[in-house]
């Protein structure tokens, strides 16, 4: 049974037969929680989970994914490709689906969507990885590469020399592991510069070392950046509930879902300044030479 065609809206011509319905303007609601791998992203999300919920006891580390979903979760790429089964081992397939995944995130209508990413803020094979049209603001966590590279090596189950080589390559990327799709990193310096140079939206840069040494100042800046009221006692409690001792204790008791299994534990020491000695002179010189300008900019040289 046919229906009567709808009347024209005053002032707006009816779409021509067969023409596509215009897509609604996307809502710029994503707040990117960005970092190079093993730079403090998980710690930041654990803090936010504890601050935003203001619990009486620490939030379980295995519930943190609810307070900042990732942009590379394989499950979401499979969902937007349904009823087809995409070959996520093909990076081109990942890139073709990325816009649908991001539109799915902003499609919930929320004013703020916290989204974790390790992707560089550039294009990959012609695809813009971090679209400004979907973005409300960004938070970037930067860590001394001499320390980061040790955690990077443990996390991916490789030798420090291989990790030092990887973070110096423009084509550095994480292939899909089944749980996450391709992530396009670039070199450490390229990644940092891409996120910390001039931005078309509000951007906060946090040094991992300041989060350790001046937590109330650093995490307080994060709370204010998100537009959330800052309460000093609540801030102190959230910092305490997300401390290394607390999260490592939880991991020993319950395990951590985000540990890829290449190392025994996800949380290792949580300290700063150990990298130079542990890496040795040759690897330290290599990293400091290749990333000299960016390391100087952030006070690491």
């Amino acid at each position: 049974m046919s229906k009567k065609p709808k009347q024209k809206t005053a002032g707006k011509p009816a779409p021509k037969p067969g023409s596509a319905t215009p897509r609604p303007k996307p809502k710029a609601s994503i707040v990117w929680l960005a970092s190079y791998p093993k730079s403090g992203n998980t710690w930041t999300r654990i803090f936010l989970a504890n601050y935003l919920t203001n619990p009486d006891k620490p939030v379980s580390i295995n519930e943190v994914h609810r307070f900042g979903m990732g942009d590379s979760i394989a499950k979401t790429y499979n969902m937007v490709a349904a009823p087809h089964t995409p070959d996520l081992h093909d990076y081109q397939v990942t890139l073709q689906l990325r816009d649908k995944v991001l539109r799915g995130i902003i499609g919930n209508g929320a004013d703020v969507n916290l989204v974790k990413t390790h992707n560089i803020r550039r294009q990959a094979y012609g695809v813009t990885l971090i679209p400004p049209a979907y973005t409300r603001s960004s938070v970037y966590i930067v860590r001394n590469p001499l320390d980061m590279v040790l955690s990077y090596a443990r996390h991916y189950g490789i030798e420090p020399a291989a990790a030092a080589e990887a973070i110096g390559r423009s084509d550095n990327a994480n292939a899909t592991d089944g749980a996450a799709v391709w992530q396009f990193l670039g070199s450490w310096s390229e990644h940092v510069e891409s996120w910390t140079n001039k931005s078309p939206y509000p951007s906060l840069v946090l040094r991992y070392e300041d989060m350790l040494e001046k937590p109330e100042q650093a995490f307080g800046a994060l709370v204010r950046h998100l537009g959330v009221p800052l309460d000093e006692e609540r801030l102190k409690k959230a910092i305490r509930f997300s401390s290394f001792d607390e999260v490592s204790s939880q991991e020993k008791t319950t395990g951590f879902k985000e540990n890829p299994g290449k190392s025994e534990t996800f949380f290792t020491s949580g300290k700063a300044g150990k990298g130079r000695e542990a890496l040795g002179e040759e690897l330290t010189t290599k990293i400091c030479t290749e990333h000299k300008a960016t390391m100087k900019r952030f006070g690491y040289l």
Side-chain angles (χ1 to χ4, degrees):
M1 181 177 173
S2 62
K3 296 181 179 179
K4 293 181 178 179
K6 292 183 178 179
Q7 293 182 342
K8 293 182 180 180
T9 302
K12 294 183 179 180
K16 296 179 181 179
S19 63
T21 302
R23 297 206 302 189
K25 184 178 180 181
K27 187 171 186 177
S29 63
I30 293 179
V31 175
W32 297 101
L33 303 178
S35 71
Y36 212 73
K38 307 309 296 178
S39 296
N41 202 308
T42 300
W43 181 20
T44 302
R45 290 182 293 123
I46 292 173
F47 164 79
L48 286 174
N50 281 284
Y51 189 86
L52 295 175
T53 60
N54 195 24
D56 294 327
K57 61 181 182 180
V59 172
S60 167
I61 56 176
N62 288 313
E63 294 297 318
V64 170
H65 63 278
R66 299 192 296 111
F67 301 90
M69 69 176 297
D71 66 342
S72 300
I73 300 171
K75 181 180 179 181
T76 59
Y77 285 74
N78 283 311
M79 287 173 61
V80 300
H84 305 290
T85 303
D87 178 9
L88 297 181
H89 292 282
D90 185 338
Y91 69 86
Q92 292 181 331
V93 172
T94 293
L95 292 171
Q96 289 168 5
L97 294 172
R98 183 169 177 81
D99 187 70
K100 288 185 177 180
V101 169
L102 298 183
R103 278 187 168 269
I105 293 173
I106 64 175
N108 62 9
D111 291 330
V112 174
N113 283 292
L114 299 175
V115 180
K116 167 194 171 181
T117 187
H118 289 316
N119 282 293
I120 193 169
R121 191 170 70 174
R122 289 186 181 175
Q123 287 192 343
Y125 301 96
V127 174
T128 300
L129 298 173
I130 311 295
Y134 304 166
T135 302
R136 181 185 178 99
S137 69
S138 67
V139 176
Y140 188 76
I141 307 105
V142 60
R143 184 183 185 187
N144 189 331
L146 296 177
D147 293 331
M148 178 276 293
V149 78
L150 290 174
S151 294
Y152 187 101
R154 282 191 296 267
H155 186 74
Y156 294 113
I158 59 178
E159 292 298 318
E165 182 68 27
I167 71 164
R169 294 200 323 263
S170 293
D171 64 351
N172 190 26
N174 289 335
T176 183
D177 61 1
V181 300
W182 281 84
Q183 298 172 73
F184 302 90
L185 310 178
S187 74
W188 178 79
S189 289
E190 290 169 340
H191 197 280
V192 174
E193 296 298 332
S194 78
W195 279 99
T196 61
N197 286 341
K198 188 176 180 181
S199 172
Y201 39 76
S203 179
L204 173 69
V205 179
L206 295 175
R207 291 196 335 147
Y208 180 91
E209 296 73 20
D210 293 335
M211 293 160 66
L212 281 173
E213 296 171 11
K214 300 178 284 187
E216 291 182 32
Q217 179 179 326
F219 286 113
L222 171 60
V223 171
R224 288 191 294 270
H225 177 75
L226 296 180
V228 178
L230 181 62
D231 179 274
E232 294 297 334
E233 291 306 313
R234 184 170 172 175
L235 176 67
K236 292 176 182 178
K237 183 173 70 171
I239 292 170
R240 189 170 69 253
F241 282 0
S242 56
S243 69
F244 175 79
D245 288 344
E246 171 58 36
V247 298
S248 60
S249 175
Q250 283 196 41
E251 184 179 22
K252 289 176 183 177
T253 303
T254 64
F256 186 37
K257 293 177 181 178
E258 294 187 26
N259 185 352
K262 298 291 179 63
S263 59
E264 186 175 343
T265 59
F266 185 93
F267 303 102
T268 50
S269 70
K271 297 180 180 179
K274 301 292 185 181
R276 188 178 293 270
E277 181 180 351
L279 288 171
E281 184 177 352
E282 183 177 348
L283 287 182
T284 296
T285 299
K286 174 182 174 61
I287 292 171
C288 291
T289 300
E290 292 181 354
H291 305 284
K292 182 178 180 179
T294 306
M295 289 181 71
K296 274 191 170 182
R297 179 184 170 194
F298 287 93
Y300 297 135
L301 285 179

